[in-house]
Amino acid sequence: MKAILQPMQDLQDIKELQDYAANNKPLAGHAARRGDLEPVTIFQTSTMSALLDGVYEGSMTMKELARHGDFGLGTFDELDGELIAFDGEFYHLRHDGSVNSVHAEEMTPFASVTYFQPETTFAIDRPLNRMELETLIDSFLPSENLFYALRMDGQFEQVVTRTVTKQKRPYPTLVEATKSQPVFTLNQVEGTMAGFRMPEFAQGLSVAGYHLHFVDDNRTGGGHVLDFTLLSGTIQIGKPAELHLHFPETSGFMNADLTGRDVAGEIELAEGGTSR
């Protein structure tokens, strides 16, 4: 697509871009797949604070997880890579850069899923870096105190990702485990980002701020998103009304130290700056 606006320099033209996005593709409602009267729910197994403490043993199968949503993200047993799900398809992104469909019996120690029902949709036809796009999305949100599901499909100038590496007992903390994580830079790539924007008060239960995973259209690369520049694409925002938190009864979770730590600081280190 031909860009019709120049790249933002200092975000002062955010109103112009918001007006453009709204006029280019009007906000659209989306019929609920599971019934209009049912609230849209984010289902999450375990907590981010448990993952920080090294609780990596799988507590739920992909088959069980998929009963609660068709869209989301997470990780796998023993921290073996990244999970991304959308359109009912679940993918396993590994530290070697490979992308595979998940098996029903694969386990997860931490994941968040929902039935994706976008309430706001708009198109982007100009280059935006991560900070600019997050600022634009924030301008559409009715409140920073709600939970949002986000999907971005488009052409990216660059996407920087990482994928965590499978760990062995005794498990290190997440901060230690991510120090040696492989980082990939994908240039001139088309693909999908899926994830959530969580409120600040959810820090520790999940990741406050933007938490996104990416996979390219050819299913040859992806991972946890560290940075990106979007050239053109479509943004969809859903607004789940409820959070369902599942507490695993594994020995790791039952005996984890979930208090007395700098949760925000550790998440910032482990997640590569996604928390804000």
Side-chain angles (χ1 to χ4, degrees):
M1 300 181 188
K2 182 180 179 182
I4 67 170
L5 298 174
Q6 296 299 314
M8 287 190 290
Q9 299 299 316
D10 57 9
L11 301 180
Q12 291 182 353
D13 56 347
I14 187 69
K15 182 63 168 62
E16 176 188 359
L17 182 58
Q18 184 182 18
D19 291 342
Y20 158 68
N23 292 328
N24 189 54
K25 189 165 185 179
L27 305 186
H30 187 86
R33 300 179 193 177
R34 310 235 341 148
D36 292 336
L37 298 180
E38 294 186 24
V40 183
T41 300
I42 295 175
F43 175 90
Q44 181 175 297
T45 179
S46 192
T47 67
M48 193 63 197
S49 58
L51 207 64
L52 288 172
D53 198 52
V55 181
Y56 305 147
E57 56 190 317
S59 59
M60 179 172 290
T61 66
M62 290 293 109
K63 182 178 180 180
E64 293 170 329
L65 183 67
R67 292 174 181 154
H68 300 282
D70 60 1
F71 174 97
L73 49 70
T75 187
F76 290 87
D77 185 44
E78 299 187 317
L79 210 65
D80 184 18
E82 312 286 347
L83 166 68
I84 184 173
F86 55 91
D87 294 335
E89 299 291 334
F90 289 64
Y91 298 100
H92 191 157
L93 315 174
R94 287 191 166 88
H95 74 279
D96 60 1
S98 63
V99 178
N100 299 281
S101 296
V102 304
H103 301 296
E105 299 308 313
E106 285 188 87
M107 303 284 287
T108 178
F110 173 86
S112 302
V113 295
T114 188
Y115 285 98
F116 189 58
Q117 298 173 17
E119 295 188 0
T120 301
T121 300
F122 58 91
I124 296 297
D125 198 11
R126 55 166 294 174
L128 293 175
N129 63 34
R130 172 183 165 179
M131 181 180 295
E132 292 168 338
L133 188 53
E134 290 181 359
T135 300
L136 173 62
I137 292 172
D138 282 350
S139 73
F140 279 102
L141 305 181
S143 172
E144 294 186 355
N145 295 329
L146 301 179
F147 294 74
Y148 301 94
L150 303 170
R151 175 171 175 167
M152 308 181 196
D153 297 273
Q155 180 180 0
F156 296 82
E157 179 179 22
Q158 185 179 85
V159 181
V160 182
T161 67
R162 64 99 159 123
T163 51
V164 287
T165 303
K166 186 175 182 178
Q167 303 297 307
K168 296 181 179 180
R169 296 176 185 273
Y171 297 133
T173 65
L174 188 61
V175 171
E176 290 298 319
T178 55
K179 285 182 178 179
S180 59
Q181 63 189 0
V183 176
F184 303 91
T185 300
L186 309 174
N187 294 309
Q188 300 299 324
V189 62
E190 295 184 5
T192 298
M193 288 186 185
F196 300 92
R197 187 201 185 284
M198 303 293 199
E200 288 297 325
F201 66 78
Q203 189 76 291
L205 289 179
S206 190
V207 177
Y210 287 84
H211 186 187
L212 300 167
H213 287 185
F214 175 80
V215 67
D216 69 341
D217 285 349
N218 294 325
R219 306 296 187 255
T220 58
H224 170 87
V225 175
L226 299 177
D227 200 7
F228 65 89
T229 297
L230 176 67
L231 295 176
S232 63
T234 301
I235 313 300
Q236 299 179 76
I237 307 171
K239 191 180 65 180
E242 297 184 0
L243 174 66
H244 180 160
L245 189 59
H246 171 260
F247 296 104
E249 295 189 15
T250 62
S251 60
F253 185 87
M254 300 290 275
N255 296 303
D257 177 12
L258 305 183
T259 62
R261 61 190 322 128
D262 178 13
V263 172
E266 290 187 20
I267 289 177
E268 183 75 15
L269 291 172
E271 294 295 309
T274 58
S275 175
R276 65 185 182 93

